Amino acid sequence: MTGNPDAVVIGSGPNGLAAAITLAAAGLSVIVLEAHTSIGGGTRTAELTIPGLRHDHCAAVHPLAVASPYLRTLPLDSYGLRWRWPEIDLAHPLDNGRAVLLARSVTATASGLGADSSTWERLFSPLVDSFDQLAAEVLGPALHRPRHPGALASFALRAGLPAQGIIGLLRTEPAKALFAGIAAHGAHPLERPATAAIGVVLAAAGQQSGWPVAEGGSARITDALAAILLASGGRVETGVAVTDLAEIPPSLAILLDTSPAAADRIAGDRLPVAIRRAYKRWRYGPAAFKLDLAVEGGVPWTAEPCRRAATVHVGGTASEIAKAESDVHHGRLPARPFVLVAQQYLCDPGRSSGDVHPVWAYAHVPHGYPGDASGLVLDQIERFAPGLRERIVGSRATPPADLEAYDANYVGGDIATGANSLRQLLFRPRVTAHPYDTGIPGVYLCSAATPPGAGVHGMCGHLAARRALSRLRLPLDPVGG
């Protein structure tokens, strides 16, 4: 690293870059240090199967990016980022050959839910109608002074329930399965308290602004953020692995876009005893087993709407999804795991090569699962798309250990950087009014282990940087309150 910047950010994922941009906007000289040879963390894109096909390494579909109170303030489009929306945002196939859909309006979603139409509207209309206010409340620390108490109260009444509580309000299997699949993004048993929260946020975001993809791949998000940082005078250095705070020259602020475990390794005995103990107690959740496919002609879904959806939830009934998530949480590999499938090429055809298309999939598996779950993933997809295997012309499996090697924040293959238990949903990474503070003056944590958690929204980094600026008594921008 050359020169002594005012601020140093460790890690170049969306949170690290958002933190760096926020600091640079306040007039600080900033450098981002990335251990890998390429930047991006979970938002990288590459040819993983056959030449010409662009696969997202991790993050694939971005409902929270377009809803992010911070990212929406940045001129990302001026730096090459284009959002693309599919004809159908989300489809959930059922064994009867049909599919239930999440549309970009509550009314349109409810129209496909039969006897549950009015219940769905009552659940989600208030949230979607006030989603901009809601996003400002929930995409940040749990302990804060509400600026929109009505929107927050409406959310809390739903989010505090177990996901099974919302499912129990619904009468038909399609509606139950639709919400169960969305709530399963939290990778936590659906009967646990507050497991409705992630499902409610993602469902509301989808019905307000959709589940879009980045044209050209998720790396385009990284590219745009990095370009904004460079235009603001910041710098990025790759291939620099920081293992100790002593390796960083004196600076006004150091922000760690790392897991609590990595923060503990880097800061060591400098951390106050209580905070170091909290970082060591931080629990990581189930893993993802990722499978990238090159599929000639696309996936032959039995339910025709799935052939037009960028995201497909493959899990069957609500009870099947609940059992699979419970099994994974307890260290058991389900016979029928919950599988998320993304077909970004449907609205971004430049990712394909002729009639061969990139298909992105991952299954929830136990933390650190060492085996090969490829067959189970394909079996589960073929349950709703018979004949898929005959169309596959290339594939690449990424087990949990390889995910952690790809991004050290994904401990044991946990791509959320922490289990979504009630305690860790509310208090990330410890019980405090200042979750970004490490207890070391001038050093802050800004990864997905801090509020508001996982997702490509940049809010963890932005809010951590605001905390650093407030401690430095520098002016704050209006975003984030």
Side-chain angles (χ1 to χ4, degrees), residues 236-255:
V236 179
E237 289 189 12
T238 58
V240 181
V242 176
T243 61
D244 193 290
L245 287 180
E247 299 166 12
I248 301 173
S251 54
L252 297 175
I254 299 171
L255 279 78

Side-chain angles (χ1 to χ4, degrees), residues 309-405:
T311 303
V312 182
H313 285 166
V314 182
T317 65
S319 61
E320 286 181 294
I321 295 169
K323 183 181 185 306
E325 294 304 288
S326 178
D327 283 348
V328 165
H329 176 76
H330 290 98
R332 299 186 296 266
L333 181 67
R336 287 182 163 179
F338 178 65
V339 177
L340 293 96
V341 177
Q343 305 173 128
Q344 304 97 312
Y345 70 90
L346 290 172
C347 53
D348 186 14
R351 299 184 186 217
S352 301
S353 178
D355 197 34
V356 179
H357 308 292
V359 175
W360 175 105
Y362 77 75
H364 290 165
V365 298
H367 181 87
Y369 175 70
D372 185 356
S374 301
L376 288 179
V377 174
L378 291 175
D379 287 346
Q380 186 73 313
I381 300 175
E382 277 209 313
R383 172 183 169 190
F384 303 98
L388 168 64
R389 279 180 168 90
E390 286 74 18
R391 297 189 180 200
I392 296 172
V393 297
S395 67
R396 174 171 170 173
T398 309
D402 289 354
L403 282 171
E404 184 172 354

Side-chain angles (χ1 to χ4, degrees), residues 6 25 38 40 42 54 97 120 158 162 197 260 262 290 332 356 361 376 399 404-405 423 442 446:
D6 296 324
S38 62
R54 293 182 62 78
W120 190 272
R158 296 155 174 79
K290 186 164 181 281
R332 299 186 296 266
V356 179
L376 288 179
E404 184 172 354
R423 179 187 177 94
C446 70

Side-chain angles (χ1 to χ4, degrees), residues 67-317:
S68 168
Y70 179 60
L71 294 187
R72 289 171 63 174
T73 69
L74 300 178
L76 295 169
D77 56 340
S78 298
Y79 291 89
L81 180 60
R82 301 285 182 270
W83 295 115
R84 291 290 177 256
W85 281 264
E87 182 181 351
I88 296 172
D89 288 86
L90 167 64
H92 187 123
L94 303 168
D95 283 314
N96 60 10
R98 302 182 65 185
V100 61
L101 311 178
L102 185 79
R104 258 165 278 158
S105 85
V106 176
T107 302
T109 300
S111 69
L113 298 180
D116 281 315
S117 173
S118 58
T119 302
W120 190 272
E121 291 204 56
R122 285 197 301 271
L123 282 169
F124 287 104
S125 287
L127 303 179
V128 173
D129 290 346
S130 61
F131 191 76
D132 289 343
Q133 295 178 346
L134 177 62
E137 296 291 348
V138 302
L139 294 181
L143 298 178
H144 70 281
R145 180 180 298 172
R147 288 169 294 164
H148 309 288
L152 185 59
S154 182
F155 169 75
L157 288 172
R158 296 155 174 79
L161 295 171
Q164 290 283 29
I166 299 289
I167 292 167
L169 298 174
L170 302 165
R171 291 180 288 168
T172 66
E173 184 51 49
K176 291 174 182 285
L178 178 62
F179 186 76
I182 299 171
H185 279 253
H188 203 64
L190 301 188
E191 70 275 9
R192 298 294 179 89
T195 47
I198 289 173
V200 166
V201 169
L202 292 177
Q207 291 173 103
Q208 193 231 34
S209 51
W211 287 20
V213 307
E215 182 181 86
S218 294
R220 294 290 184 259
I221 303 171
T222 299
D223 294 342
L225 289 171
I228 292 172
L229 175 61
L230 295 176
S232 303
R235 295 183 290 139
V236 179
E237 289 189 12
T238 58
V240 181
V242 176
T243 61
D244 193 290
L245 287 180
E247 299 166 12
I248 301 173
S251 54
L252 297 175
I254 299 171
L255 279 78
L256 306 175
D257 184 7
T258 71
S259 69
D264 175 39
R265 289 194 300 271
I266 293 169
D269 292 339
R270 300 173 185 84
L271 289 168
V273 172
I275 294 177
R276 190 173 195 189
R277 187 181 302 122
Y279 286 2
K280 289 181 180 296
R281 282 200 307 262
W282 181 252
R283 292 293 175 258
Y284 298 91
F289 184 99
K290 186 164 181 281
L291 188 62
D292 289 287
L293 304 172
V295 182
E296 188 169 13
V299 179
W301 301 104
T302 300
E304 189 276 335
C306 295
R307 302 179 187 182
R308 297 181 282 128
T311 303
V312 182
H313 285 166
V314 182
T317 65

